[in-house]
Amino acid sequence: MKKPTTGIFKFTSCDGCQLSMLNLEDDILRLTELTEIAYFREGEDNPLVGHLDLAVIEGSISTESQKKKITDIRERSRHLITIGACATAGGVQALRNWADFDAFKKIVYPKPDYIDALPASTPVSEHVHVDYELWGCPIDTLELSEVLTSFLIGKRPGIPAHSLCMECKGKGIACVLVSREEPCLGPVTRSGCGVLCPSLNRACYGCFGPMEGANIETLSGIFERFGYSADECRMMLDKMNTYAFRKERTEKS
Amino acid sequence: MKSRLKDFFEVLGPSYRIIGPKIENGVVILAEIKYGDIPAGYRDSQKPGRYRLSPEKDSQVFSFSSGPDSFKRFLNPPLAELFHFHRFETGLGITSPPFSEKGGISETGLPICFMGIRACDLWALKLYDRIFPGGRVRDRTYESLRRNSLIIAFNCLYPSGNCFCLSTGTGPEVKDTFDVAVTELKDSFLLEEGSARGKEILGLLPLGHAGERQSLEKRERIETCKALFRKSIAADELPEIIFRNLDHPHWEDIARRDLECGNCTQVCPTCFCNTSYDFVYPGGISGEDKCNLELSGRRLRKWDSCFSRDFAQVHGGNFRLSRKARYRHWMAHKLAYMQDQFGLPGCVGCGRCITWCPAGIDITRELEALRPHS
Ligand code: SF4
Ligand code: SF4
Ligand code: SF4
Ligand code: SF4
């Protein structure tokens, strides 16, 4: 049987998630036996030709040409998955979605006219159909290996969709929200990070994005009772998953 | 005289892994402990969505109440490996994993001694004993851990601000399901045997004789504790309050406040739901033979919650799509269906779901809001 082909593509991002792929070590060697890597910018430099069984996308859609490129990749691929906060939620660069883009450009670049970018950074799912989204900033390597393998062997990824709190309680961590009034985003955030922050006795920053059904309004209300202003509560969500959190919030209310 | 509690640890130490209360980051958790770990004299303040431990020393040893943990973490671990599977070029292989997950059989192979388990949790344990070893499916891990475990139960001196076992008839006094029951008196501990094994253990301790005076003091202490409860539920009106009010507008009100985070179910000693899934390693499980191996995987079992969207999902989705439906299901299972299912209360009044709910949702108040005259 012919090995399935995989392509790994980068859009607007920091490359951190693709590097997680190289960090798979043992697994990456085994993965290359399960699939033929047809395109991988981080590892080699071939132009994309023909069709793919699996397209893995890192990075958000931020320019006009990226919109065309993602459509082209989708048309060539049987399955398409996104990895990381940029591809899945628009990334930290989506902060410009809520600001004056031209003013931003002027502050950052000496010659802003050279910048060819869309005024908003958006997740891949706003442009093409996505078969699976792996959240995280950066993604967890174990989860990545699980998702890739699952697509290559045809099973459902064993990755839960529940809140971080579920994983936090499983680990027996003393809740920083209930015992110390820390503004922990765990109750509205997807699990997946291994409970990094609460296990270090800190509040969760929401790196893995909003879980499905996140009740952001209510959690912000709780933080306001702890003494944070409405603005501060909003800023807690305005990080690498800002677009997804705001979307989840407005769709709810 | 109270320092003689240490004898207990000395006698049990060599043959048991003692699981008991200990402070971690300002919270009383359960872990493998030594005598010195007991948070003697600490008092907790528990309110809906709030927990604080005060370091001011009380003259009593066991002044603190339950924290988020219960025996469930140890007998039904949050994450357990059921087996490993391997796909070779020539076929499939299954191997059993070493039980090393937190809460599984300890590396030393010693059975567990639960030190300081309360009345409410003993009722939950009784329920677990009906669910896990009984029924059509036997959970052999639970069975073996449970069969060899030793229960040293404690009568509560103070209920926490969220305890309501008095109204559910599950506390604060321990009645059965223990090997030894301990009541802290003013100057000593009163120890009572509850099983042959308990009797044997008491025989190993240098004890004085307890008489009428100690029994009287125990009764007084339990009555004092009973007078301190601040919460209750109308247990004698269950399950009707729920079944007659399935369309009550109050469910919507709860749904607005509910975060569907699942904390309540994870801390509840009677919640037992779990899910299993396969985690596949293309490179094989580290440390295992990789000759001719195509794939390896672990079948894992993990605590789940009826608040999660991917819980009880069938093809096409989850039947309880709304948050309202999920909370209602949870509360109805605790306060109504479990009694029918297992012949024991599904809620033992421990108050953990109230304390550890970040939104402070209080099962006693929600139930009260459903009652017709309230
Ligand atoms: S510490 Fe944060 S993630 Fe953990 S249970 Fe509390 S709120 Fe949830
Ligand atoms: S009742 Fe509280 S702890 Fe339970 S899911 Fe809702 S918000 Fe979370
Ligand atoms: S429902 Fe709440 S009070 Fe009742 S046993 Fe569970 S955690 Fe304790
Ligand atoms: S619910 Fe009752 S038995 Fe349980 S800790 Fe509170 S007072 Fe003790």
Side-chain angles (χ1 to χ4, degrees):
Chain A
M1 210 176 81
K2 197 176 155 289
K3 272 196 223 172
T5 50
T6 301
I8 298 151
F9 302 90
K10 176 191 153 61
F11 288 78
T12 302
S13 58
C14 76
D15 288 22
C17 291
Q18 284 199 66
L19 286 173
S20 313
M21 190 147 331
L22 297 177
N23 286 340
L24 286 172
E25 298 176 0
D26 265 14
D27 286 0
I28 190 98
L29 297 177
R30 190 60 67 166
L31 273 168
T32 55
E33 284 172 29
L34 288 175
T35 177
E36 183 194 324
I37 307 281
Y39 189 87
F40 188 9
R41 273 300 285 278
E42 206 68 49
E44 48 176 313
D45 218 341
N46 298 326
L48 177 62
V49 281
H51 291 264
L52 293 168
D53 289 293
L54 182 63
V56 181
I57 314 291
E58 180 201 84
S60 72
I61 306 302
S62 302
T63 66
E64 203 54 55
S65 62
Q66 285 178 342
K67 276 164 98 176
K68 292 201 186 73
K69 190 175 157 201
I70 193 70
T71 314
D72 178 50
I73 295 169
R74 177 70 264 191
E75 284 171 355
R76 291 166 182 276
S77 314
R78 196 154 73 89
H79 291 302
L80 181 144
I81 64 177
T82 60
I83 58 168
C86 298
T88 307
V92 72
Q93 58 274 27
L95 277 171
R96 73 164 178 261
N97 303 8
W98 330 119
D100 177 351
F101 183 42
D102 286 325
F104 256 42
K105 278 200 285 195
K106 281 193 196 112
I107 299 166
V108 180
Y109 300 99
K111 294 218 169 78
D113 300 348
Y114 290 159
I115 304 299
D116 167 30
L118 295 168
S121 164
T122 44
V124 172
S125 61
E126 299 237 324
H127 303 274
V128 296
H129 173 75
V130 175
D131 295 294
Y132 193 86
E133 297 183 312
L134 184 63
W135 294 75
C137 181
I139 50 168
D140 177 80
T141 42
L142 253 186
E143 287 200 347
L144 175 65
S145 142
E146 167 66 11
V147 171
L148 294 176
T149 314
S150 297
F151 270 88
L152 294 170
I153 67 172
K155 76 177 258 295
R156 193 151 56 130
I159 294 176
H162 56 51
S163 72
L164 179 66
C165 296
M166 292 279 293
E167 217 181 331
C168 189
K169 279 285 177 297
K171 293 206 165 192
I173 294 165
C175 177
V176 301
L177 192 158
V178 167
S179 74
R180 290 215 322 268
E181 290 190 1
E182 290 285 337
C184 185
L185 292 180
V188 295
T189 301
R190 278 168 192 268
S191 68
C193 63
V195 210
L196 213 52
C197 293
S199 40
L200 296 169
N201 213 4
R202 308 179 59 147
C204 161
Y205 292 111
C207 307
F208 278 61
M211 66 163 184
E212 203 190 325
N215 189 348
I216 296 165
E217 250 358 276
T218 294
L219 190 65
S220 296
I222 295 167
F223 295 165
E224 281 179 40
R225 285 203 296 282
F226 289 170
Y228 295 91
S229 69
D231 247 15
E232 284 171 316
C233 292
R234 188 181 44 71
M235 267 148 60
M236 288 174 200
L237 304 167
D238 280 342
K239 287 181 293 248
M240 50 298 213
N241 290 302
T242 174
Y243 190 67
F245 272 118
R246 286 215 194 185
K247 206 167 150 225
E248 191 72 40
R249 189 171 189 171
T250 43
E251 277 177 8
K252 282 291 123 56
S253 53
Chain B
M1 287 305 280
K2 284 195 176 172
S3 60
R4 295 271 294 276
L5 187 61
K6 206 173 172 187
D7 298 339
F8 236 149
F9 282 77
E10 274 162 18
V11 165
L12 299 173
S15 20
Y16 291 93
R17 179 181 168 222
I18 302 175
I19 302 294
K22 177 182 174 173
I23 298 176
E24 206 174 277
N25 291 325
V27 172
V28 173
I29 58 144
L30 292 186
E32 191 159 352
I33 57 162
K34 299 185 294 295
Y35 170 68
D37 291 324
I38 291 183
Y42 278 76
R43 281 295 289 272
D44 49 43
S45 147
Q46 301 194 31
K47 294 193 182 119
R50 192 186 152 94
Y51 179 98
R52 294 291 183 279
L53 195 61
S54 126
E56 284 135 57
K57 295 272 167 164
D58 197 280
S59 59
Q60 312 290 333
V61 176
F62 290 93
S63 318
F64 53 90
S65 189
S66 296
D69 290 340
S70 66
F71 67 87
K72 124 168 161 179
R73 173 173 300 287
F74 302 91
L75 296 181
N76 166 30
L79 184 67
E81 282 191 315
L82 301 180
F83 52 81
H84 291 175
F85 53 88
H86 315 274
R87 195 172 82 188
F88 300 96
E89 281 159 22
T90 46
L92 197 70
I94 304 273
T95 51
S96 41
F99 266 97
S100 58
E101 301 291 343
K102 186 178 179 190
I105 295 166
S106 66
E107 252 113 76
T108 52
L110 291 179
I112 297 172
C113 162
F114 288 106
M115 178 66 81
I117 192 165
R118 321 271 174 156
C120 52
D121 284 358
L122 287 181
W123 280 86
L125 183 62
K126 220 189 283 197
L127 182 82
Y128 266 43
D129 284 346
R130 269 193 206 172
I131 299 167
F132 285 92
R136 275 180 298 171
V137 182
R138 283 168 65 191
D139 184 320
R140 287 174 202 281
T141 311
Y142 179 89
E143 240 180 2
S144 70
L145 285 167
R146 173 70 177 103
R147 187 171 338 111
N148 299 319
S149 63
L150 185 77
I151 310 288
I152 313 287
F154 274 80
N155 280 313
C156 286
L157 293 180
Y158 305 99
S160 91
N162 290 330
C163 291
F164 56 98
C165 63
L166 187 60
S167 62
T168 47
T170 48
E173 184 180 359
V174 301
K175 296 275 170 61
D176 50 29
T177 331
F178 57 80
D179 294 299
V180 176
V182 179
T183 313
E184 182 170 0
L185 305 178
K186 193 161 170 288
D187 305 307
S188 58
F189 287 103
L190 175 68
L191 307 187
E192 293 164 286
E193 71 205 35
S195 70
R197 191 137 56 121
K199 186 173 182 178
E200 209 176 291
I201 283 160
L202 292 190
L204 300 172
L205 292 167
L207 300 174
H209 185 75
E212 201 49 34
R213 193 171 64 79
Q214 282 81 6
S215 302
L216 206 67
E217 200 185 338
K218 172 188 163 186
R219 288 259 52 87
E220 278 169 16
R221 295 223 143 198
I222 288 168
E223 291 312 311
T224 313
C225 175
K226 284 183 181 172
L228 295 171
F229 279 83
R230 273 174 277 167
K231 282 196 190 296
S232 64
I233 58 166
D236 49 352
E237 293 173 43
L238 286 170
E240 287 75 20
I241 312 178
I242 292 184
F243 290 155
R244 296 216 179 109
N245 291 293
L246 292 174
D247 293 316
H248 199 287
H250 188 67
W251 297 113
E252 279 296 352
D253 180 70
I254 301 172
R256 263 190 301 280
R257 288 176 279 132
D258 184 0
L259 299 163
E260 59 181 282
C261 61
N263 271 301
C264 48
T265 55
Q266 304 303 283
V267 295
C268 176
T270 70
C271 274
F272 50 75
C273 284
N274 56 58
T275 183
S276 64
Y277 59 96
D278 295 338
F279 222 83
V280 172
Y281 301 81
I285 294 166
S286 61
E288 291 190 349
D289 183 18
K290 292 179 190 171
C291 190
N292 290 328
L293 183 69
E294 291 183 337
L295 281 176
S296 279
R298 300 154 82 201
R299 167 73 50 94
L300 298 166
R301 189 179 74 180
K302 194 169 161 247
W303 288 354
D304 205 349
S305 167
C306 51
F307 282 90
S308 305
R309 299 228 167 176
D310 51 0
F311 175 84
Q313 201 167 32
V314 294
H315 177 76
N318 186 323
F319 287 110
R320 296 180 207 103
L321 271 179
S322 68
R323 197 178 288 142
K324 162 182 140 178
R326 287 205 292 282
Y327 185 88
R328 185 176 56 197
H329 168 78
W330 178 69
M331 187 158 145
H333 196 209
K334 297 283 106 175
L335 299 178
Y337 311 137
M338 266 207 203
Q339 180 75 46
D340 290 346
Q341 253 180 312
F342 305 108
L344 285 170
C347 170
V348 297
C350 72
R352 287 187 180 93
C353 58
I354 309 173
T355 305
W356 301 99
C357 170
I361 291 176
D362 178 343
I363 192 170
T364 67
R365 289 182 54 187
E366 308 312 337
L367 185 73
E368 201 48 38
L370 293 172
R371 285 174 84 195
H373 55 271
S374 62

